[in-house]
Amino acid sequence: MTENYTALYEQHKKAGASFTDFGGWQMPLKYESELAEHHAVRNAAGLFDLSHMGEVWVTGPEAAAFLDYALVGKLSAIAVGKAKYSLICDTDGGIIDDLITYRRPSPEEGVDQYLVVPNAGNAKIVAQALRERAAGFDVSVEDASAETSLIAVQGPNAEGILLKLVPGEQHALVTELKYYAAVEVSINGQDLLLARTGYTGEDGFEIYVPNVDAAVLWEALLEAGEGQGLIPAGLAARDSLRLEAGMPLYGNELSRHLNPYAAGLGPVVSLAKEGDFVGKEALAAIKAAGVGSALGQKLVGLKGAGRRAARGHYSVLKDGSLIGEVTSGQPSPTLGYPVALAYVDVEHSVVGTVVDVDLRGKAEPFEVVQLPFYKRHK
């Protein structure tokens, strides 16, 4: 398998990062301490390289109608400047990927434009699926992933750090930017797309920048974050942060073998929108059956009663019988107890239900709890 490197690889090496493969990319796992990086994001700010993510531009007079057909949500309802979380599913309702779509200002009269952002390992798959589904629509699909870097600043100090790089006359564009929205601002003297989104459960921003300018922006952000507690953060912290926030990870909680209803993402599916969309018939049947999947399982949050953490693929038991499997789990650095996501039989998915997880031969009690585990104070 070919190894891919982001435009910030040298910056990570200089900072002493430990690397790991993620979706075919060599990405920083941590720099010094994943715990320190986790706490920095919760209490100050963390700087992430997300350049392994994809960027697919969808442009044309029928861009809105096309995305309504290609994805399960009603993308035509997104206002210009806003974003929406959605899914691209197979004809059988299986999840190909979860993604965020931004509606951008029209480049010319009568033409709509959207930016679709798929996950790292799925970027090419999603781009190809969109190209195939575009047949019959007056729309162009351009995969700009190879030329685009993505840098995130996450944490309570993120806004203040960005304001140091944005000209004073544009400060209101940053401070008034709502969650799941995007705007073009001048950052470090360059016009860039700034989105107020993230995968950590904290306030934060993601910045789309050409590869050739990524290193300069990274260093500028680090300099602006001096005295604000900003440190670079790797995939280990990103994973523990997203788990506390109850956010699914493709390959763990989401896959082609799972459908949106099993994953608790039923509200993302718009069966009522006009026209057909890929997977509609299968998803309608699954919803009508009243179960999350063919096995009648549902994704839940689990809180450990002891100190030992559940890990991915550990068995979930009830009265000694197998009822499910953990998809993600670890000790929560913020909350101080083990947390996990797991698929369990629907009859055992009610909040307050006590189950056991087989921790390498020893059954330990866990309680089904409401997600997310952690919610920031706004």
Side-chain angles (χ1 to χ4, degrees):
M1 185 176 181
T2 303
E3 289 185 343
N4 296 297
Y5 300 87
T6 76
L8 296 169
Y9 181 73
E10 291 302 322
Q11 271 62 39
H12 304 318
K13 276 178 61 177
K14 286 182 213 169
S18 302
F19 290 90
T20 187
D21 177 85
F22 187 79
W25 292 80
Q26 283 297 301
M27 299 299 296
L29 179 66
K30 63 177 183 177
Y31 295 85
E32 292 183 14
S33 161
E34 61 262 47
L35 278 177
E37 293 163 23
H38 180 107
H39 289 306
V41 174
R42 287 279 178 256
N43 301 308
L47 187 64
F48 295 88
D49 178 9
L50 308 182
S51 304
H52 54 319
M53 302 287 280
E55 291 85 18
V56 182
W57 289 94
V58 176
T59 309
E62 295 182 335
F66 161 64
L67 287 174
D68 279 354
Y69 169 75
L71 309 182
V72 302
K74 190 174 180 181
L75 285 302
S76 59
I78 307 175
V80 173
K82 302 297 184 181
K84 188 177 182 68
Y85 177 82
S86 191
L87 303 168
I88 181 168
C89 287
D90 232 329
T91 52
D92 64 357
I95 301 170
I96 295 174
D97 199 15
D98 64 329
L99 34 79
I100 295 177
T101 300
Y102 300 89
R103 188 168 192 169
R104 304 304 306 134
S106 299
E108 57 185 274
E109 188 175 350
V111 173
D112 291 324
Q113 187 170 62
Y114 294 79
L115 173 61
V116 180
V117 182
N119 287 298
N122 293 328
K124 291 182 179 179
I125 295 168
V126 170
Q128 182 58 32
L130 290 175
R131 289 191 198 99
E132 291 170 359
R133 295 177 186 192
F137 288 92
D138 188 0
V139 69
S140 69
V141 177
E142 179 194 354
D143 186 359
S145 305
E147 304 89 50
T148 310
S149 292
L150 181 58
I151 298 174
V153 187
Q154 296 280 303
N157 294 348
E159 182 180 284
I161 291 166
L162 269 174
L163 290 177
K164 291 186 175 183
L165 298 177
V166 173
E169 63 271 19
Q170 291 188 349
H171 278 193
L173 293 177
V174 177
T175 58
E176 295 174 11
L177 188 65
K178 302 297 185 183
Y179 188 52
Y180 263 65
V183 67
E184 282 200 1
V185 295
S186 179
I187 301 175
N188 201 32
Q190 185 177 17
D191 290 337
L192 298 172
L193 181 62
L194 175 72
R196 198 163 206 157
T197 48
Y199 195 52
T200 65
E202 295 298 334
D203 185 25
F205 300 85
E206 296 179 335
I207 308 166
Y208 295 84
V209 57
N211 287 346
V212 293
D213 302 310
V216 172
L217 177 61
W218 180 269
E219 296 297 339
L221 286 163
L222 283 175
E223 185 177 345
E226 289 179 5
Q228 297 289 317
L230 177 72
I231 61 172
L235 288 180
R238 186 168 158 84
D239 192 47
S240 56
L241 290 159
R242 70 92 192 171
L243 177 56
E244 288 183 344
M247 295 179 174
L249 174 65
Y250 196 90
N252 289 35
E253 287 74 42
L254 307 176
S255 76
R256 283 184 184 250
H257 305 295
L258 296 163
N259 66 73
Y261 297 103
L265 297 175
V268 175
V269 181
S270 178
L271 293 173
K273 64 181 174 179
E274 292 182 14
D276 192 17
F277 66 89
V278 179
K280 181 177 182 178
E281 185 177 345
L283 291 168
I286 292 167
K287 184 179 182 182
V291 296
S293 72
L295 299 176
Q297 291 197 325
K298 181 180 176 183
L299 185 67
V300 300
L302 298 177
K303 173 185 175 181
R307 298 180 62 85
R308 295 181 65 195
R311 302 290 182 179
H313 304 298
Y314 282 16
S315 297
V316 183
L317 313 170
K318 184 66 176 179
D319 300 326
S321 297
L322 180 68
I323 63 163
E325 184 177 272
V326 173
T327 53
S328 300
Q330 59 179 288
S332 164
T334 305
L335 303 173
Y337 50 76
V339 297
L341 294 172
Y343 279 95
V344 301
D345 294 345
V346 171
E347 58 264 38
H348 302 297
S349 65
V350 178
V351 170
T353 302
V354 176
V355 299
D356 292 317
V357 177
D358 184 348
L359 304 184
R360 297 191 174 183
K362 185 178 180 183
E364 293 281 351
F366 281 72
E367 180 185 351
V368 177
V369 295
Q370 189 72 45
L371 292 171
F373 302 106
Y374 165 85
K375 198 169 186 178
R376 69 184 174 95
H377 300 292
K378 294 185 179 179

